[in-house]
């Protein structure tokens, strides 16, 4: 009996790592990602730990490894509908949404230039817009256009079909379902940001000057979308740590990476806007390993103030926001005017919908009850940074190979 393919669910940094590490041992791998592109949340970042480099540093290397490895088959815009069988002999049912753009696409851009329909830009968390046929900014794999069929007018427009010189567009394509066999399964389903609109007292969704930490990653590159006027010589930007986290009404757990992220972002802003002043309101500063180096840089920066206290309320005014908080060290309530408030929201695990997978009360996979042949890594299991996710994905491949050997595969 030979080893069947390995199924990796999720095309973020955990899933990509698992796929390439397994394929480079000679295993066949099929990598399933529900979005049209690989990269996950990391592809949306401006910089990431531990080196504070852009995501191109890690993703481009892994994308090249995928392109050059015949053992990896990638299914984007696809989900796993069901799994049956046991370790070494799983049957997987996949559903793939309609592929309106095929492999003939050269990304020439003619289709985008004539498309009359716009949609919120997922890459910028809805802060800007793209056409209905689009390629996200940044590093993209596969590098080809995709169509958002929720907004595309299809035959009522068909302008993209008219101008495409490569027969790359099929507006009438249909979804498809098909079965695959697999020997093992790695869950790398990742995370999404907590919905900040549920924290009503902090003003998200009612004022564009209140944003989340994931939105800020893109705003730094895009000159803050015009939210901070160039006329403001010395803008004041506040960070509200634990926005909805460690809170029985929202997320009861700590997401672990939010403190380090805000420290990183404060330095990014100071680099972009040297005259800015930053205030970080926190309960506890939780940074580990090399992130402590970032904390030391923040503490040495006279333009950044660390305030131990939780933001409790936000008042909106025409000129600025007034942030109300408690200063725990001074044992007093304070109010401060700011031009931008960044909510450090936590990580919520994406759900996989598989009947074999039991989750804990907080939604993360409970690895104690995974069937043999199933493995879960990264933010599917707990809040996780990039470094931890990569290590766990590599370890999962090794464990999977051991299990398959015991199951009689070779």
């Amino acid at each position: 009996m030979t080893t069947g393919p390995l199924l990796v669910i999720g095309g973020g940094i955990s899933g990509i790592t698992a796929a390439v590490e397994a394929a480079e041992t000679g295993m066949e791998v099929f990598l399933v990602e529900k979005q049209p592109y690989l990269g996950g949340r990391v592809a949306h970042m401006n910089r990431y730990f531990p080196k504070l480099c852009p995501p191109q540093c890690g993703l481009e290397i892994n994308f090249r490894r995928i392109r050059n490895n015949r053992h990896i088959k990638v299914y984007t815009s696809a989900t796993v509908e069901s799994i049956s069988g046991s370790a070494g002999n799983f049957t997987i049912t996949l559903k793939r949404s309609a592929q309106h753009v095929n492999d003939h696409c050269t990304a020439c851009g003619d289709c985008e230039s004539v498309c009359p329909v716009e949609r919120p830009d997922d890459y910028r968390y809805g802060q800007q817009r793209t056409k209905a046929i689009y390629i996200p900014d940044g590093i993209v794999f596969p590098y080809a256009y995709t169509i958002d069929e929720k907004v595309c007018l299809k035959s009522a427009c068909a302008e993209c079909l008219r101008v495409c010189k490569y027969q790359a567009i099929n507006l009438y394509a249909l979804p498809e379902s098909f079965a695959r066999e697999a020997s093992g399964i790695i869950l790398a389903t990742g995370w999404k940001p907590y919905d900040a609109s549920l924290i009503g007292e902090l003003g998200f969704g009612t004022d564009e000057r209140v944003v989340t930490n994931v939105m800020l990653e893109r705003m730094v590159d895009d000159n803050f979308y015009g939210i901070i006027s160039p006329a403001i010589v010395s803008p004041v930007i506040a960070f509200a740590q634990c926005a909805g986290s460690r809170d029985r009404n929202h997320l009861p757990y700590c997401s672990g990476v939010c403190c380090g992220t805000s420290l990183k972002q404060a330095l990014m802003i100071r680099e972009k806007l040297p005259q800015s002043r930053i205030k970080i309101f926190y309960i506890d500063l939780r940074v580990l390993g090399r992130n402590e180096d970032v904390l030391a840089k923040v503490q040495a920066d006279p333009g950044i103030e660390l305030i131990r206290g939780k933001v409790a309320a936000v008042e909106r005014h025409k000129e600025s926001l007034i942030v109300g908080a408690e200063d725990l060290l001074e044992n007093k309530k304070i109010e401060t005017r700011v031009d931008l408030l960044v909510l450090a929201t936590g990580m919520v695990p994406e759900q996989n919908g598989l009947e074999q997978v039991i989750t804990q009360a907080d939604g993360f996979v409970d690895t104690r009850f995974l069937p043999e042949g199933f493995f879960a890594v990264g933010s599917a299991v707990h809040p996780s940074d990039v470094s931890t996710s990569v290590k766990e994905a590599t370890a999962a491949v090794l464990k999977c190979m051991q299990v398959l050997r015991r199951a009689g595969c070779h």
Side-chain angles (χ1 to χ4, degrees):
M1 179 179 181
T2 57
T3 302
L6 173 68
L7 165 65
V8 179
I9 306 175
I13 192 66
S14 298
I16 290 170
T17 300
V20 295
E21 294 292 348
E24 288 175 0
T25 70
M27 291 184 71
E28 297 295 324
V29 179
F30 59 104
L31 176 60
V32 177
E33 166 57 42
K34 67 179 180 180
Q35 299 298 331
Y37 305 100
L38 300 183
R41 299 289 170 187
V42 169
H44 292 240
M45 291 182 182
N46 184 290
R47 301 179 194 174
Y48 66 93
F49 294 112
K51 296 181 181 179
L52 299 187
C53 54
Q56 286 89 337
C57 293
L59 286 179
E60 177 53 40
I61 292 171
N62 282 321
F63 290 162
R64 189 182 309 124
R65 292 167 77 185
I66 292 173
R67 284 193 295 267
N68 294 338
N69 197 310
R70 60 183 177 81
H71 295 299
I72 302 177
K73 172 66 177 176
V74 176
Y75 296 101
T76 54
S77 302
T79 55
V80 176
E81 294 289 283
S82 65
I83 298 174
S84 60
S86 57
N89 190 28
F90 291 111
T91 298
I92 318 296
T93 302
L94 296 176
K95 182 176 181 180
R96 199 175 193 196
S97 63
Q99 301 298 290
H100 295 296
V101 180
N102 61 39
D103 293 340
H104 297 303
C105 179
T106 65
C108 67
D110 289 349
C111 54
E112 184 179 17
S113 66
V114 298
C115 179
V117 180
E118 293 187 343
R119 59 183 286 279
D121 184 357
D122 300 328
Y123 182 69
R124 294 182 172 82
Y125 294 95
Q127 292 290 95
Q128 293 189 359
R129 301 182 72 79
T130 73
K131 295 295 185 70
I133 188 165
Y134 68 99
I135 298 178
D137 286 344
I139 183 169
V140 175
F141 181 85
Y143 194 76
Y145 276 87
T146 189
I147 291 177
D148 185 341
E149 61 180 358
K150 294 189 296 293
V151 299
C152 178
L153 300 177
K154 295 191 175 69
S155 59
C157 171
E159 284 297 302
C160 58
L161 192 62
R162 179 181 62 81
V163 300
C164 181
K165 299 184 288 290
Y166 304 100
Q167 291 77 51
I169 298 174
N170 178 6
L171 295 177
Y172 313 103
L174 298 173
E176 58 175 336
S177 294
F178 51 94
R180 290 291 308 267
E181 303 300 316
S183 57
I185 296 156
I186 293 180
L187 303 169
T189 43
W191 63 279
K192 60 185 176 183
Y194 185 66
D195 184 355
S197 65
L198 299 176
I199 320 168
E201 66 273 17
L202 298 186
F204 181 81
T206 62
D207 194 302
E208 66 174 1
R209 296 170 294 183
V210 181
V211 301
T212 66
N213 46 3
V214 292
M215 294 166 65
L216 186 70
E217 285 285 327
R218 300 273 38 94
M219 293 175 69
V220 174
D221 258 0
D222 292 322
N223 293 315
F224 300 92
Y225 302 146
I227 294 173
I228 298 178
S229 169
I232 302 175
V233 177
S234 182
V236 180
I237 300 169
F239 287 82
Q241 297 305 110
C242 297
S245 297
R246 303 171 67 185
D247 186 331
R248 69 181 65 182
N249 296 314
H250 299 285
L251 299 180
Y253 54 85
C254 169
S255 288
V257 302
C258 309
C259 288
T261 297
S262 292
L263 298 176
K264 174 199 74 173
Q265 291 178 337
L267 294 174
M268 286 163 51
I269 293 171
R270 292 280 291 152
E271 181 182 309
K272 186 84 171 182
L273 301 173
Q275 301 303 313
S276 62
R277 290 178 292 137
I278 312 292
K279 298 177 182 289
I280 301 177
F281 294 89
Y282 69 95
I283 300 175
D284 302 292
L285 282 176
R286 296 182 171 181
V287 294
L288 299 173
R290 294 178 67 174
N291 294 357
E292 292 184 352
D293 297 338
V294 178
L295 174 58
K297 291 180 182 179
V298 167
Q299 291 172 325
D301 191 325
I304 304 176
E305 182 180 4
L306 296 169
I307 304 167
R308 188 167 189 178
K310 189 173 177 66
V311 173
V314 178
E315 292 182 20
R316 293 178 292 135
H317 293 265
K318 184 176 181 181
E319 297 81 12
S320 60
L321 300 167
I322 297 180
V323 172
E326 51 185 338
D327 188 327
L328 296 179
L329 296 182
E330 297 291 334
N331 195 27
K332 63 181 182 180
K333 293 183 178 180
I334 59 174
E335 289 186 345
T336 184
R337 290 183 178 271
V338 305
D339 300 294
L340 184 73
L341 175 62
V342 183
L343 306 182
T345 54
M347 305 170 93
V348 179
E350 290 278 9
Q351 297 304 301
N352 53 70
L354 298 173
E355 62 180 21
Q356 294 93 338
V357 179
I358 296 174
T359 57
Q360 303 178 64
D362 54 18
F364 292 101
V365 173
D366 194 331
T367 56
R368 297 173 300 172
F369 302 107
L370 283 176
E372 187 174 46
F374 277 76
F375 305 88
V377 298
S379 299
V381 182
H382 49 70
S384 179
D385 63 7
V386 170
S387 177
T388 302
S389 297
V390 168
K391 292 174 184 176
E392 290 185 0
T394 302
V397 172
L398 293 174
K399 292 177 183 177
C400 182
M401 293 170 69
Q402 293 171 344
V403 168
L404 296 181
R405 182 177 294 273
R406 288 199 303 267
C409 302
H410 59 78

